Amino acid sequence: MITLKLNGQDHQLDVTEDMPLLWAIRDVAGYNGTKFGCGMGLCGACTIHIDGLPARSCITPIGSVVGQDVRTIDNLHADPVGQIVQQAWLDTAVAQCGFCQGGQIMSATALLKTNPNPSDEQIEEAMVGNICRCGTYNRIKTAIRQASTHLKEAKA
């Protein structure tokens, strides 16, 4: 049994330590917002937060995150920055097929939590490795800028 702190709750999971975190999250704990894309950590569809930092759950063994705080897109509505990012995604109509968007939103939220006023270059750097087959990169960047503006306004 492994205890996984997932979305603010402890989950007792009967899995091996080498099981990819993605499958423990989806198939064992039942949170299906995090998607499988490539299985090699290259596309970003499976991006989650581990202690606030973005990570690829498809290549992260569950045993390596014991004692750490793991958050998924399924719980992002409870995060104030996550709420702002999700609303910006809706306001700018980012998603087409939507498959990659959970990972994109998780990466954008992690960026804005550490840097609420990123430059275009910093946005591009933070989002590298998040692939969108529909090509919505310009709308993603626009949504991140919009969320950044809302964060600045909230602090004023």
Side-chain angles (χ1 to χ4, degrees), residues 4 9 12 25 27 35 40 43 48 64 70 88 94 100 107-108 131-132 146 156:
L4 178 65
Q9 298 179 345
Q12 296 292 322
I25 290 169
D27 295 347
K35 303 297 183 207
M40 298 181 289
C43 73
I48 56 162
S64 71
V70 177
V94 171
C100 71
S107 291
I131 297 171
C132 176
Q146 179 181 319

Side-chain angles (χ1 to χ4, degrees), residues 66-147:
V66 172
Q68 295 178 293
D69 183 33
V70 177
R71 301 282 171 155
T72 70
I73 189 76
D74 303 281
N75 189 253
L76 202 60
H77 65 278
D79 181 297
V81 175
Q83 290 172 5
I84 289 170
V85 171
Q86 288 176 319
Q87 189 59 55
W89 243 250
L90 294 171
D91 293 346
T92 57
V94 171
Q96 283 187 20
C97 82
F99 192 83
C100 71
Q101 296 306 308
Q104 301 275 5
I105 290 169
M106 293 300 283
S107 291
T109 300
L111 166 65
L112 293 173
K113 287 181 127 189
T114 59
N115 181 359
N117 190 25
S119 67
D120 283 350
E121 184 177 278
Q122 291 167 322
I123 292 171
E124 290 168 9
E125 184 178 313
M127 300 305 289
V128 90
N130 286 85
I131 297 171
C132 176
R133 293 186 145 215
C134 300
T136 63
Y137 299 110
N138 289 332
R139 287 188 286 192
I140 289 168
K141 193 184 294 185
T142 298
I144 294 170
R145 281 192 218 109
Q146 179 181 319

